[in-house]
Amino acid sequence: MGEIGTSYDAAAAAWRAGPERMYARMAEAMAEHAPVDVAAARVLDAGAGTGVAGDAMRRRGAGSVVAVDLASAMLPRAPALSTVGDLTRLPFRDGAFDLAVAAFSLNHFTDPVPPMIELRRVAGALVASSYAPEWAHPAKDAVDEVLARHGFETPEWYAVARADANPGPGDLAGCAERAGFTEVWSDVVDVDTGMRSAVDLVAWRLGMAHTAPFVAALAPDERLRVRDEAEAVVDGMPPLVVAMVVLTALR
Ligand SMILES: C[S@@+](CC[C@H](N)C(=O)[O-])C[C@H]1O[C@@H](n2cnc3c(N)ncnc32)[C@H](O)[C@@H]1O
């Protein structure tokens, strides 16, 4: 499964306690852009994590939602149908879905074209999201510095993902066209995630897949110290408003 999948598996509990809330807000904003009628649609939640994008589609009347992810511990329980799988080798027949949603999963690929080709094989349309390349929040570096004082080293898979800057709307649109999609549209939208307090910001940073396994392995008293120190450094920082790239495309 590789380091990404094992890291997300190890982070699943902390993810549900922090990042899940912000990703749910971002999924709602992404769902507004679905390029086909969602009512009664067969939806694939691709790189589903805890399934917030599928939930957003279900709230819009999707007929069925299937969630697929590398990390079994992240996957939602009922009412979604969940399966472990890799976005480059999906265990579904051609055209099995009307719409694939890929919320913050294609940014895990150095080259998003292969998973896009696979999504186009199984679904008639795509809506995807990613962080805008220029987007940043000061809590990221501030909490990383606290973690580093306690011995944290950025895992290689995350460092590699960071070195390849997040794709901008034009980059993602170009990938979709190379994957064979038509009617490609992409833009940046700002999403207020509702995460504003120091507790929220730290729950976000300590619940991410590259930090949560490190934090979980600390002794309980050190884990408390890390949280207290992190909350002190982010206190008074701006609310978490994310610049999100949204991509839509049709087969
Ligand atoms: C940032 S999380 C986003 C999860 C969810 N879509 C959301 O919006 O909350 C990225 C997810 O993509 C999954 N993922 C990364 N690479 C994958 C791959 N090759 N195949 C399937 N899932 C993958 C990870 O396991 C993780 O759950």
Side-chain angles (χ1 to χ4, degrees):
M1 157 163 72
E3 240 189 308
I4 295 181
T6 50
S7 300
Y8 273 101
D9 266 337
W15 179 281
R16 286 185 165 88
E20 184 180 73
R21 267 181 295 150
M22 66 179 279
Y23 279 83
R25 290 284 186 102
M26 296 192 288
E28 280 297 331
M30 181 195 71
E32 289 297 310
H33 296 274
V36 291
D37 188 4
V38 176
R42 299 163 302 161
V43 173
L44 174 66
D45 188 354
T50 58
V52 292
D55 291 343
M57 292 300 163
R58 204 177 290 106
R59 279 191 284 276
R60 285 164 177 73
S64 60
V65 176
V66 174
V68 64
D69 200 284
L70 279 181
S72 60
M74 290 286 283
L75 278 167
R77 318 291 178 248
L81 274 173
S82 295
T83 185
V84 172
D86 190 315
L87 297 188
T88 57
R89 291 185 302 278
L90 289 168
F92 307 113
R93 62 177 169 76
D94 296 2
F97 302 97
D98 302 305
L99 175 66
V101 299
F104 294 93
S105 52
L106 295 174
N107 46 303
H108 280 295
F109 294 82
T110 341
D111 179 5
V113 174
M116 282 184 178
I117 289 173
E118 190 62 348
L119 291 172
R120 182 173 172 271
R121 180 183 70 76
V122 301
L126 171 68
V127 59
S129 58
S130 176
Y131 289 101
E134 69 280 4
W135 180 75
H137 189 282
K140 286 178 144 194
D141 287 345
V143 174
D144 278 2
E145 278 167 30
V146 170
L147 287 170
R149 288 204 295 274
H150 290 264
F152 174 70
E153 287 175 20
T154 306
E156 193 170 326
W157 66 265
Y158 187 74
V160 169
R162 264 194 144 175
D164 296 312
N166 281 313
D171 305 316
L172 220 48
C175 290
E177 279 160 4
R178 284 201 291 288
F181 280 107
T182 62
E183 310 276 329
V184 175
W185 171 88
S186 185
D187 206 350
V188 176
V189 298
D190 288 332
V191 184
D192 183 345
T193 66
M195 309 278 274
R196 7 185 60 78
S197 68
V199 170
D200 288 342
L201 294 175
V202 170
W204 161 46
R205 292 319 296 162
L206 300 189
M208 298 299 285
H210 66 290
T211 56
F214 170 81
V215 175
L218 293 173
D221 57 335
E222 188 168 15
R223 197 179 315 137
L224 281 178
R225 279 206 304 283
V226 165
R227 199 167 282 278
D228 286 348
E229 288 169 29
E231 286 173 9
V233 294
V234 304
D235 195 31
M237 283 188 178
L240 185 56
V241 177
V242 173
M244 178 177 81
V245 176
V246 180
L247 169 84
T248 65
L250 300 181
R251 182 162 54 201

